[in-house]
Structure formats: structure tokens, C-alpha cells
């Protein structure tokens, strides 16, 4: 055999030996990662690395710490550049809002029956119709026309925004039965951005048709935003944040204010013991409390209840701006809700899978003793 051929054979044998080693190493790694004791030790080690200083920084020489400080100053400058980036994003949002608005105006006209769309504009091929035969389509069309003849001709799309609100959990939780007749008169929600050069903010404008409940035609809620690092904690900057909001005064028709209710209470005279009925006006749960948020004092300090109310308020305002207004028809039909639910279901399934794996690991662990695992989690223990 030619020596050159022998060299080729030897090289191939070495490569095969290397593959065997790699395969055995992979198998060993898999076996180790399936061992709950090894996983627990690894997790403990990782927990020690995350969220707690290693002590290494403190041990550095002074000259090195000095350079680290220089890096932190560079990081602060990065945060300020990031703030400028978000300011430009806000400018882009304002620019594209102007492009979207004609489409939203057309949507509003259709909803409130100010414009009747053409046959071409109404043509839509739904997924379930793709496999229908022409005969079945014609039959379905005749049945729909028959139903339409039996009913009164509705104007526009009745209760459009009320249906949107009722379909979204975040908003339906705010709705009370006495709010619904009022929201039937809601015709449009617009997002208005602050003017160029002004502090960053946006306003939600709720447009109502004339109604018996209040004289306002528009109810507004303005959210002020900040897009700059906090001087005291610049590294916490993570984009624009809502810092405050302001509602508007609703000019209620007498006897129609759903944010207040009248209750009767019995009062007993301490001396004579006589009882009398006293009428009191107290706050009432209503969606329209949305337009009367807690005021943030100049000190910026709020009690826990007010902080919780404002945090929820900011979330709702952001959700209406980012999701509801741009995709209203999909929340009306429920299609956007299904997409949101799918996202949460996937997360839930992943969590369930992880829990299942943990339970299986405990059962397969020869050292696992259920009796020792009787203490409640830390967050469940009484103080």
C-alpha cells in the first residue's frame, strides 16, 4: 500500500476517534443535566452569581476602580443618547399618526353611519369561506338577506366601542352596568400627541354624540411622559415613562352622574335615643372615574392606594393608545383577543411543563424525602 494512502487511513481513524469522544461527552453531559442533585448545585451557583456582588470589584486596586468609574460615566452618556433616540421615536409616532388619521376618520364615519362603504370596500374573504362551494355561498347570502329584511335597518355599527370595551378584560373590569347606556354614545377615541418642541405627552380624546347624561362632546385624558435618565439613578433608564395624568370635568346632567350614588343611613341620637334617616352622597364605581385620577402632589409622594390606582391608570392609558385605538375592529370582532390569549396560553404551557419536570425530578431523586418538604414557600409564611 502506498504510504500516502496509509496516512489518509490514519487521519480518518483519528477523526472517527474524535467523533466518538464528542458523542460520549454529549451523552455524559445529558446524563449530568438529568441528575437533580447536579442541577440543584448548578442553580445554587448561578443564584450566587446573579443579583449579588462577587466581591471582585471591591478587591480591585484603586487605579482600576478609577477606570471603572470612567466606564460608568460613559454608560451615563449612553443613557442620554438613548433618551434622544426615544424622543425621535416620539417624533416618528407623531408623523405616522397623521398618516393613520384619515383611515381612523373613515372608520369613525362608518361606525356612526356618516358614510356607507361600497361593495368593493366591504368585500372580505374570511378563512371559513375559502372551502365553500358557490352554491353554499349563494345559499348563505340569501339567508343573510332574509334576516336583514326581518330586522330594522341598523345605522352604522351599533355599540362598536362598548363592545370593544366589554371584550377587553382590562377595560371590562372598569365597566359597571350603569356605564353601558352612556358608552353606547361613544363614537370615536383619538390619540393626540404633544406639539413639536413641547414636553412629551399624549391625550386620549373620547368623542360622544349628544346624549342625556352630560353636555360634553369630548372627554379627555392627558398623560405626561418623561424620556430622560434620573439624575439620582441614571442606570435605571429604560425608555419613556408616564409620570402623571390629568382628566377633565364632566358636565353631568342633573341626576345622571353615575360616579356618585345616594345612600340612606340611620343615625341614633346619643341622648334621646331617637333614630333618624340621613341621606349621603358617596363615590360610586364607574368607568367614568377614569377621568378623575388621583392628583400627584409636588413632592411626588403618594399613599399606597393612590400609587396602585395611578399604576393601573397608566397601564390602561398606554394600552388604549398602543392597542385599542390602532386595532379597534379586531377587538370588536375578538380576533385580537384570541391572539393575546394564545400568547398567554403558550407561556402557561411552558410553565406547566417546567413544573411537571420538577415534579418528575423529585420523584426520581433517591434522596428526596417528601416529609422534609413540608415548609410553605417564603412568601406564604406568616410573619
Amino acid at each position: 500500500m502506498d504510504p500516502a494512502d496509509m496516512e489518509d487511513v490514519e487521519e480518518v481513524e483519528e477523526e472517527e476517534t474524535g467523533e466518538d469522544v464528542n458523542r460520549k461527552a454529549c451523552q455524559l453531559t445529558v446524563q449530568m443535566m438529568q441528575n437533580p442533585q447536579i442541577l440543584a448545585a448548578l442553580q445554587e451557583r448561578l443564584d450566587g452569581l446573579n443579583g449579588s456582588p462577587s466581591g471582585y470589584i471591591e478587591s480591585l486596586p484603586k487605579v482600576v476602580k478609577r477606570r471603572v468609574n470612567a466606564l460608568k460615566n460613559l454608560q451615563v452618556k449612553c443613557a442620554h443618547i438613548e433618551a434622544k433616540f426615544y424622543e425621535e421615536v416620539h417624533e416618528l409616532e407623531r408623523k405616522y399618526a397623521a398618516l393613520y388619521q384619515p383611515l381612523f376618520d373613515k372608520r369613525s364615519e362608518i361606525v356612526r353611519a356618516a358614510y356607507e362603504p361600497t361593495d368593493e370596500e366591504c368585500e372580505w374573504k374570511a378563512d371559513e369561506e375559502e372551502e365553500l362551494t358557490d352554491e353554499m355561498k349563494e345559499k348563505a347570502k340569501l339567508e343573510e338577506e332574509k334576516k336583514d329584511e326581518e330586522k330594522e335597518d341598523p345605522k352604522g355599527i351599533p355599540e362598536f366601542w362598548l363592545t370593544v370595551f366589554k371584550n377587553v378584560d382590562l377595560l371590562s373590569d372598569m365597566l359597571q352596568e350603569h356605564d353601558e347606556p352612556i358608552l353606547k354614545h361613544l363614537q370615536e377615541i383619538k390619540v393626540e400627541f404633544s406639539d413639536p418642541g413641547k414636553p412629551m405627552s399624549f391625550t386620549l380624546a373620547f368623542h360622544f354624540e349628544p346624549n342625556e347624561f352630560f353636555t360634553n362632546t369630548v372627554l379627555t385624558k392627558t398623560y405626561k411622559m418623561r424620556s430622560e435618565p434620573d439624575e439620582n439613578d441614571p442606570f435605571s433608564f429604560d425608555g419613556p415613562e408616564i409620570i402623571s395624568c390629568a382628566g377633565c370635568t364632566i358636565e353631568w346632567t342633573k341626576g345622571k352622574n353615575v360616579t356618585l350614588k345616594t345612600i340612606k343611613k340611620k343615625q341614633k341620637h346619643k341622648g334621646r335615643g331617637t333614630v333618624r334617616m340621613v341621606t349621603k352622597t358617596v363615590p360610586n364605581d364607574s368607568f367614568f372615574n377614569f377621568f378623575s385620577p388621583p392628583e400627584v402632589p409636588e413632592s411626588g409622594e403618594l399613599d399606597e392606594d393612590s400609587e396602585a390606582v395611578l399604576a393601573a391608570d397608566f397601564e390602561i392609558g398606554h394600552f388604549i393608545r398602543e392597542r385599542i385605538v390602532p386595532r379597534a375592529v379586531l377587538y370588536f370582532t375578538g380576533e385580537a383577543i384570541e391572539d393575546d390569549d394564545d400568547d398567554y396560553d403558550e407561556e402557561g404551557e411552558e410553565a406547566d411543563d417546567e413544573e411537571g419536570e420538577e415534579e418528575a425530578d423529585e420523584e426520581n431523586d433517591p434522596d428526596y424525602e417528601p416529609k422534609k418538604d413540608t415548609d410553605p414557600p417564603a412568601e406564604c409564611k406568616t410573619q
Side-chain angles (χ1 to χ4, degrees):
M1 182 180 289
D2 192 326
D5 293 338
M6 284 294 295
E7 289 177 4
D8 291 341
V9 172
E10 289 173 357
E11 287 177 2
V12 170
E13 289 176 351
E14 288 176 359
E15 288 174 2
E16 291 176 351
T17 303
E19 290 177 0
D20 290 341
V21 171
N22 289 338
R23 183 165 57 251
K24 289 179 180 178
C26 290
Q27 290 174 348
L28 181 60
T29 301
V30 170
Q31 291 173 359
M32 290 175 64
M33 296 307 291
Q34 289 177 341
N35 187 317
Q37 291 177 316
I38 293 177
L39 285 175
L42 180 60
Q43 184 62 51
E44 185 177 352
R45 177 63 178 161
L46 290 173
D47 290 342
L49 293 174
N50 291 330
S52 57
S54 62
Y56 173 68
I57 300 300
E58 288 75 8
S59 68
L60 291 174
K62 186 176 181 181
V63 65
V64 176
K65 289 182 180 179
R66 182 171 172 272
R67 295 170 191 143
V68 171
N69 288 338
L71 296 185
K72 292 171 75 173
N73 284 324
L74 291 176
Q75 190 62 43
V76 171
K77 291 181 180 179
C78 287
H80 283 282
I81 292 174
E82 186 180 4
K84 293 294 183 184
F85 164 77
Y86 283 114
E87 287 178 7
E88 292 196 20
V89 169
H90 188 69
E91 293 298 323
L92 275 176
E93 284 185 310
R94 181 188 293 109
K95 172 185 174 182
Y96 279 88
L99 299 178
Y100 286 127
Q101 197 54 53
L103 302 177
F104 295 157
D105 289 342
K106 190 70 159 290
R107 178 181 70 188
S108 175
E109 290 175 356
I110 294 173
V111 167
R112 55 191 173 88
Y115 172 78
E116 184 61 34
T118 64
D119 290 342
E120 183 180 355
E121 290 173 321
C122 293
E123 191 172 338
W124 181 265
K125 188 177 183 181
D127 293 339
E128 62 269 16
E129 292 179 1
E130 291 179 358
E131 300 179 0
L132 294 178
T133 64
D134 292 339
E135 184 180 349
M136 293 173 68
K137 289 180 182 178
E138 185 64 27
K139 185 178 179 182
K141 183 179 178 182
L142 291 172
E143 288 180 356
E144 285 186 6
E145 289 177 353
K146 185 177 179 181
K147 288 179 181 177
D148 289 342
E149 289 175 1
E150 293 173 355
K151 296 180 181 178
E152 293 183 8
D153 181 25
K155 301 298 182 183
I157 303 178
E159 303 180 15
F160 179 82
W161 288 102
L162 173 59
T163 303
V164 170
F165 278 41
K166 292 172 76 172
N167 281 347
V168 179
D169 289 342
L170 189 64
L171 302 178
S172 64
D173 289 344
M174 303 166 63
L175 292 185
Q176 305 298 322
E177 189 175 345
H178 48 252
D179 294 324
E180 295 188 14
I182 309 175
L183 288 171
K184 289 180 182 180
H185 296 285
L186 179 58
Q187 294 183 317
E188 175 68 310
I189 304 176
K190 293 183 178 182
V191 180
E192 301 168 357
F193 292 94
S194 54
D195 294 331
K198 298 288 185 180
M200 190 181 295
S201 68
F202 68 91
T203 298
L204 301 176
F206 295 71
H207 293 253
F208 288 83
E209 65 182 352
N211 60 80
E212 62 181 298
F213 300 96
F214 45 70
T215 58
N216 311 64
T217 56
V218 182
L219 301 181
T220 59
K221 184 74 170 284
T222 299
Y223 291 88
K224 293 182 180 179
M225 305 173 70
R226 176 175 57 203
S227 181
E228 57 185 21
D230 187 335
E231 292 183 2
N232 298 321
D233 188 15
F235 302 133
S236 66
F237 180 73
D238 192 27
E241 59 177 340
I242 297 173
I243 55 174
S244 66
C245 60
C248 65
T249 301
I250 303 178
E251 304 293 342
W252 293 100
T253 305
K254 187 176 180 180
K256 298 292 185 179
N257 188 347
V258 295
T259 65
L260 298 174
K261 64 180 178 180
T262 302
I263 61 172
K264 292 183 178 181
K265 295 183 69 175
K266 290 183 179 179
Q267 277 190 350
K268 188 175 182 180
H269 194 280
K270 293 181 180 179
R272 297 191 294 271
T274 56
V275 177
R276 66 173 182 174
M277 296 297 293
V278 177
T279 301
K280 288 185 66 176
T281 300
V282 296
N284 192 26
D285 290 336
S286 169
F287 164 76
F288 291 91
N289 290 321
F290 178 69
F291 298 97
S292 302
E295 292 185 8
V296 180
E298 292 184 3
S299 63
E301 295 181 1
L302 291 166
D303 57 56
E304 290 185 6
D305 290 343
S306 296
E307 280 188 358
V309 170
L310 275 181
D313 190 298
F314 293 171
E315 181 184 0
I316 292 165
H318 180 75
F319 189 82
I320 292 174
R321 167 195 161 181
E322 292 288 323
R323 305 294 293 275
I324 298 297
V325 172
R327 309 178 71 201
V329 66
L330 301 182
Y331 283 99
F332 176 79
T333 62
E335 293 166 82
I337 302 159
E338 291 172 5
D339 292 342
D340 293 344
D341 289 343
D342 288 342
D343 293 340
Y344 283 110
D345 287 341
E346 288 173 6
E347 293 177 5
E349 287 169 7
E350 290 175 5
D352 291 342
D353 290 343
E354 290 173 2
E355 289 175 5
E357 289 173 5
E358 289 175 2
E359 291 175 2
D361 289 341
E362 289 175 351
E363 291 174 1
N364 295 331
D365 183 1
D367 298 324
Y368 175 64
E369 297 182 23
K371 292 181 180 179
K372 291 184 179 181
D373 195 22
T374 55
D375 288 340
E379 65 270 22
C380 297
K381 291 181 179 179
T382 55
Q383 299 296 321

